[in-house]
Amino acid sequence: FCLENTDPRMRGQGIQLLSQVLLQCYSLLQEKEVLHLVLFYESRLQDHHLVIPSVLQGLRALSMCEVLSPGLAVSVLKAIFQEVHVQSLMQLDRHTVYSIITNFMSTREEELKGLGADFTFGFIQVMDGEKDPRNLLVAFQIVRDLIAKDYALGPFVEELFEVTSCYFPVDFTPPPNDPHGIQREDLILSLRAVLASTPQFAEFLLPLLIEKLDSELQSAKLDSLQTLTACCAIYGQKELQEFLPSLWSSLRREVFQTASEKIETECLAALHALSACLSRSVLSSDSEDLLDSFLSSILQDCRHHLCEPDMKLVWPSAKLLQAAAGASFRTYHRITRSVLPLLLEQYTKHTQSSQRRTILEMLLGFLELQQKWGHVEEDESTLLSLQAPVCSVVFSALTDPSVQLQLVGIKALTVLGSLQGFLSSSDLELVVDHLIRLALHEEDSQSSEAAMEAAGSLALTLPKIFSGRMVPRLEEELQSGRAGKGESYHNHRSLQQRCLQALAAVSTHTSIVRETVPVLLQHLQKVQKGTEARNTQDVVSVCHSLHRVALQCQQDAEGCWYFHQTVVPCLLAMAVQAAMQESTHTLLGKALLEEEVLAAMIPVISAATTHLSPELAAQSVSHVVPLFLDGEVSFLPQNSFPCSFQPFGDGECLEAQRRLVALLMAFVCSLPRDVAIPQQEWLLRELLALSCSCNCPFTATTAAKCFAGLVNKHPAGQQLDEILQLAVNRMEPGLAEGPHRMQALTLLLWVRPARDEWGRGAGGPSLAPTVLPAQVTKALVLRYHPLGSCLTDKLLGLLGDTELGPAAADGFSLLMAESPDVLHKGCHADMRIMFRQRFFTDNVPKLVQGFHGAGPDVKANYLKGLSHVLNHLPKPVLVTELPTLLSLLLEALSCSDRVVQLSTLSCLHPLLLEAPQIMSLHVDTLVTKFLNLTSSPTMAVRIAALRCAHALTSLPTTVLLPYKGRVIRALAKPLDDKKRLVRKEAVAARGEW
């Protein structure tokens, strides 16, 4: 009845119902049914315009049928092209037409190609005038498919180009809260893919790009340059020939004149792409060599500027030449043949260090390009013919008094050394000699460090020359004993420090590591036997060098295992020997027991362990754990010790041995998670007992960290629950009273075990901020252990304790911050993503509630805990929560605790930059608080307050103007601050205001 009704609205409703049914069941239709429906719908395209949208929905359903008879797709599209004026339809209906075309192109490609250019012309009519970005993305995709799948464009190439290029450059700003999420960049990339899809568009597109390059609009220039670069991937000489002079003129002008780094970068990329495109073209015998004429134009316009190192066009010219030279070996050979002799000549001609540095930096740019082409061929390389003058220039720069020139020379030296076949063996020996001189004897630390980095880089590719020449020289310098005649002790020690650093830097190849590691260990054994205080620093220096070597070995399995099995047992043996001598009151080796030294040994052992394969790690753990639990020393070198090793034993005489638990922590907490630890339950119990009872804070802390690291990786189950319950039972009494409240709190923070009931803390000594309390809690927070929240609640309860509260508040920093030695990704800790966000969601409401209910003497503890949590939260998360927390943050600025002030200021600083609208609502309070804190007695607080006052200037100007005079007057005082860093911040802030 509806389909035959004379009222077009009723007919439309009938067809709409039919189309909705078809959209649900099109896959169930038979071929004859589809044929009948298609013929019906085609005839309805001639109906009243109110019916057309429902007809198109039905045709969309039918276009998805697999049983569509041959010829029907062509019939439907012809009917749409002839009967429907698409651009007069609503957006959704136009989108339906594009969907029908897309469906047919994906399933009926050969049939549509049978239409020839008529299909292309029909689509051009459909798309012409489209404005909606949702439809344009689909339309651009159809054009790309037309070209990519080789549909016939016929005489309509220009029309197809015009119908798409009219949107170039894209000018679209998405409306606020756009539900479709279409961005300007999406349209730009989609349109660019169309314009750069075929060389047939070149004659129309290139003039358009040149026109837009000459415009004043920066976005148009950027889009044009990026489109040109994309086009060069498919163009050849034929497409570019007519437009090369104009393109070069535009690119040169932009690089010479622009103040925008983005424009310059895109210009250089486009020039590189043009040169590469011309290099790819195969030349016929009678064709003009466009590449040669193009490069000649570049040289003619840029080369002469290289003779003026003090003028502003020298660097733009060099960059243009280097962009072209980097496109292919042909372009490199053509340009360097002209430019390198000129640069060498100019270096000799100019005598000022600043001018020489500029020239050498340009030369360095061309040398770095040579690395792209690998081995230097004698018959093709301009560089090889200039070997002697190039080496002379670089070596002269290394002996120049100017540090900046030396640094460029060192970079050039690194590049020359990496060019296979360029330097002779005598040149390489000279390179090594220069690097040794600079690394050890150059007064400026920049040059020394750069020389060490260069040595490490070159040693990787030239291990034999560095192994045979540099390592023996460094070893000789290191073993030269006491300061020579006329040489101060300070200078001698500085030389030894540099030798250690150089030995580490050059250890980038396994063959060199096998030579440097014994030298470093031998020196360590030598210095640790001394008794002077300075020996501690010497031992730390060796450890730092060993740590660098360990890091450099990590990616090489052979080198990593060699380092581990050589260094770890040696360090353990020396430390055990020192601990036993301490027990027998011998002074030798005491330096190894200093906290500073043990702290330096921890990263060495950790770095040597983290990258071991599970098999090798299991082999190593089978020796190290029995050493600490059973005193099994047989695997250690020089293992004849005066007494047994019992780090978990009782007695004051074993205090020195107990300190070595730090080394156990470094080892077991760095093992891969799937490595089984022998006697793990026994080890956990010993660590727990030591962390709760030891009087030495260093030992107690490392034992708690070690316990936490093992608990974090422990498989879930009954064993883990039992050890956690045991930990809770040990901590509860300790937190309540007694001399070990500090250790109990430390353990709580690091492990955070499970317990539903907790005794209230009462009495005990006051606690300074410490790392100790959070170990267990952190271990469980990271892995989302279900028992972790109970321990956090206990920690929250301790904030109300007048004595433990400040340390508990600092514990929130430990829970949220990245741990440097255990419980981080590098040592395979079980860390779940977004644990900080989860901790924030679970606990910040409790902190806020606790603050409002707390007495005045402990409110600061809650503010400190809150500021620690917020300070480590990802800034996007913090911005979303800002409105509810800002009042508390402002109250925290009035707290007298400098830690709270600093943490809150560091939290507010990025928010001023990232959430100016919200912060503007509180500008009066912010101005007052920041200005008050610029007079704080603590320098760090003054600096942070001045930075925040500076950041205030990012708020809207209309908000700030009423405060301008007041702020400028108030910031005059810190201009006279006694600390230079404060004055520096005051100048910046006041100037901005």
Side-chain angles (χ1 to χ4, degrees), residues 88 109 194 290 316 354 360 500 509 543 566-567 818 836 870 941:
S88 66
E109 182 179 331
V194 171
L290 276 184
S354 59
L360 187 56
L500 293 171
H509 192 278
C543 290
T566 305
V567 174
E818 194 72 34
R836 290 183 178 87
L870 298 182
V941 173

Side-chain angles (χ1 to χ4, degrees), residues 427-446:
D427 286 333
L428 287 172
E429 289 179 359
L430 194 55
V431 166
V432 173
D433 292 343
H434 275 298
L435 291 176
I436 293 172
R437 176 184 59 78
L438 289 166
L440 301 186
H441 304 293
E442 177 56 47
E443 288 184 15
D444 187 86
S445 60
Q446 278 184 285

Side-chain angles (χ1 to χ4, degrees), residues 682-699:
W682 179 19
L683 177 60
L684 282 168
R685 291 171 187 271
E686 293 286 8
L687 289 167
L688 179 60
L690 186 60
S691 64
C692 290
S693 61
C694 182
N695 292 321
C696 171
F698 176 79
T699 303

Side-chain angles (χ1 to χ4, degrees), residues 669-802:
C669 292
S670 302
L671 291 168
R673 233 181 290 174
D674 52 356
V675 174
I677 296 173
Q679 309 174 85
Q680 184 168 7
E681 307 312 313
W682 179 19
L683 177 60
L684 282 168
R685 291 171 187 271
E686 293 286 8
L687 289 167
L688 179 60
L690 186 60
S691 64
C692 290
S693 61
C694 182
N695 292 321
C696 171
F698 176 79
T699 303
T701 303
T702 52
K705 286 183 180 181
C706 191
F707 182 87
L710 292 175
V711 163
N712 174 262
K713 298 179 189 177
H714 199 295
Q718 184 180 353
Q719 283 186 328
L720 177 61
D721 294 341
E722 287 176 359
I723 198 68
L724 289 176
Q725 185 61 54
L726 181 62
V728 173
N729 294 341
R730 292 296 297 263
M731 283 188 288
E732 263 191 333
L735 285 169
E737 59 186 11
H740 296 298
R741 297 186 83 201
M742 171 72 83
Q743 287 92 322
L745 183 53
T746 301
L747 188 64
L748 165 67
L749 285 167
W750 276 96
V751 190
R752 202 165 89 185
R755 176 78 172 183
D756 292 330
E757 316 85 21
W758 288 88
R760 289 290 299 166
S766 80
L767 293 175
T770 172
V771 77
L772 274 176
Q775 316 286 349
V776 181
T777 306
K778 179 157 187 168
L780 300 183
V781 166
L782 292 180
R783 62 183 283 181
Y784 291 174
H785 194 282
L787 306 177
S789 59
C790 298
L791 297 178
T792 308
D793 290 342
K794 175 59 181 175
L795 190 62
L796 287 163
L798 289 174
L799 293 174
D801 187 302
T802 53

Side-chain angles (χ1 to χ4, degrees), residues 905 908-909 912-913 926-934 941-955 960 967-968 970-971 974 985-986 988-993:
L905 287 168
L908 288 171
H909 183 269
L912 290 164
L913 304 173
L926 289 168
V927 168
T928 303
K929 301 278 189 186
F930 293 158
L931 293 181
N932 288 341
L933 289 174
T934 59
V941 173
R942 298 200 299 276
I943 290 174
L946 286 166
R947 285 177 179 162
C948 286
H950 190 167
L952 276 174
T953 58
S954 63
L955 303 187
L960 298 177
V967 173
I968 291 175
L971 292 182
E985 294 296 339
R990 193 168 186 266
E992 200 64 34
W993 273 91

